[in-house]
Amino acid sequence: TGDHWGYGKEDGPSAWHRHYPVAKGSRQSPIDIIPDEARRDSSLGPIFLKYDRCTSLSIANNGHSVVVEFDDSDDRSVIQGGPLDNPYRLKQFHFHWGGKGCEGSEHTVAGVGYASELHLVHWNAVKYTTYEDAATAPDGLAVLGIFLEQGDDHRWLHTITDVLYMVKFKGSATNFKGFNPKCLLPSNLHYWTYLGSLTTPPLHESVIWIVLKEPIVVSEKQLGMFRILQFSGEEEDQRMRMENNFRPPQPLKERILKKRC
Ligand SMILES: COc1ccc(C[C@@]2(O)NC(=S)NC2=O)c(OC)c1
Ligand SMILES: [Zn+2]
């Protein structure tokens, strides 16, 4: 039982369509972002992020990534503005990364990947009653994508990398209170935006994507800490290092990429 998909040769992104036919849908993510083809849209305003440090709850290894969950019972932590018609509540954030020295982001920019990509997942609690309902609705989710570039140590990422050893195995979780994800944002909030999907099964086409142009900088040492995580559970005999947990870019099809720069 459990998820029968992964990132390997047999169960990876090229095989997902067998159980999840929407993998070949009209608004799949990620995409290759071509900056020169992005259309400036005067109706696109700035995005506003209001994150309250008291809403973070736990950090967990779900067998596909490391996820920090938030208390989404009210509007303390929300994203609004930009392409969004109302505030979307912060539910969780997680990362995608590569192998040693390899690219690991999901979106690429003019064909070039970054070392990693952070996804801050928000849901439309004005229109939908539950996160689960929002996750299947065309305007249900708003995901803020932030690129991680290799370079100097990131001042605040230590707060996360220092506890990864506690969630090494699939199914492990631990308390993670008082973390404010605002510390993971770059200084500039200029963004690209387009209509897309979840990037793992069930691949629901329910995401309004907001991808920041400016990456944050993290060290190779910090990136390496993500690779102590395992896809596999503690009881499984074959150890499977968690790395290269990213889906490659999907066809843009009839979509328009917009920008606010
Ligand atoms: C059923 O609801 C789901 C399921 C998976 C994810 C995770 C993910 O597929 N989506 C993005 S974005 N990156 C991912 O890895 C999700 O996140 C919003 C929501
Ligand atoms: Zn993601």
Side-chain angles (χ1 to χ4, degrees):
T1 59
D3 292 324
H4 41 252
W5 62 270
Y7 290 96
K9 182 129 185 45
E10 303 301 314
D11 63 1
S14 55
W16 292 350
H17 69 93
R18 292 183 209 141
H19 290 278
Y20 304 92
V22 73
K24 295 180 184 292
S26 61
R27 55 173 280 189
Q28 288 291 292
S29 293
I31 59 168
D32 178 38
I33 291 167
I34 302 173
D36 294 351
E37 291 180 7
R39 190 171 302 178
R40 191 188 309 276
D41 181 329
S42 55
S43 74
L44 278 180
I47 53 168
F48 296 101
L49 297 157
K50 177 181 70 128
Y51 288 152
D52 182 319
R53 62 182 298 275
C54 301
T55 58
S56 80
L57 294 171
S58 62
I59 187 167
N61 177 333
N62 65 10
H64 307 298
S65 182
V66 57
V67 189
V68 173
E69 294 281 350
F70 288 80
D71 172 357
D72 59 348
S73 56
D74 62 30
D75 279 357
R76 273 173 295 166
S77 292
V78 295
I79 183 173
Q80 53 196 340
L84 306 174
D85 292 343
N86 49 252
Y88 283 58
R89 279 184 196 167
L90 179 63
K91 169 75 178 158
Q92 54 108 313
F93 70 75
H94 62 272
F95 298 82
H96 301 267
W97 60 90
K100 186 163 174 39
C102 300
E103 296 167 346
S105 66
E106 299 215 293
H107 291 90
T108 52
V109 180
V112 180
Y114 284 87
S116 171
E117 187 171 330
L118 161 61
H119 289 159
L120 291 134
V121 176
H122 312 75
W123 63 283
N124 189 338
V126 167
K127 267 187 85 171
Y128 305 102
T129 319
T130 65
Y131 168 69
E132 286 68 24
D133 287 353
T136 59
D139 58 352
L141 301 179
V143 179
L144 185 65
I146 301 177
F147 293 119
L148 278 66
E149 183 177 69
Q150 192 181 304
D152 294 335
D153 236 38
H154 189 284
R155 169 86 181 73
W156 303 106
L157 192 65
H158 283 288
T159 323
I160 292 170
T161 54
D162 286 352
V163 302
L164 294 180
Y165 76 95
M166 297 175 77
V167 289
K168 184 175 176 184
F169 298 108
K170 174 179 174 180
S172 53
T174 190
N175 258 327
F176 197 67
K177 291 197 170 36
F179 180 78
N180 187 331
K182 208 156 181 103
C183 68
L184 298 177
L185 301 177
S187 51
N188 185 311
L189 295 184
H190 289 169
Y191 62 86
W192 293 289
T193 184
Y194 75 98
L195 297 181
S197 72
L198 307 183
T199 62
T200 67
L203 297 168
H204 294 321
E205 298 189 324
S206 59
V207 179
I208 298 171
W209 275 98
I210 299 169
V211 180
L212 296 187
K213 288 184 180 176
E214 184 184 324
I216 58 171
V217 178
V218 307
S219 64
E220 172 48 39
K221 192 167 174 300
Q222 289 176 312
L223 284 165
M225 299 296 280
F226 283 92
R227 293 187 205 101
I228 68 168
L229 299 169
Q230 303 276 319
F231 283 123
S232 44
E234 187 160 13
E235 70 295 335
E236 292 176 57
D237 44 20
Q238 72 266 53
R239 288 289 152 93
M240 301 266 289
R241 183 197 305 259
M242 188 179 276
E243 59 185 14
N244 297 308
N245 57 347
F246 64 92
R247 188 191 194 189
Q250 302 301 309
L252 185 63
K253 298 197 171 168
E254 302 307 305
R255 291 177 285 182
I256 306 275
L257 179 70
K258 296 180 181 173
K259 67 182 171 188
R260 158 131 177 136
C261 53

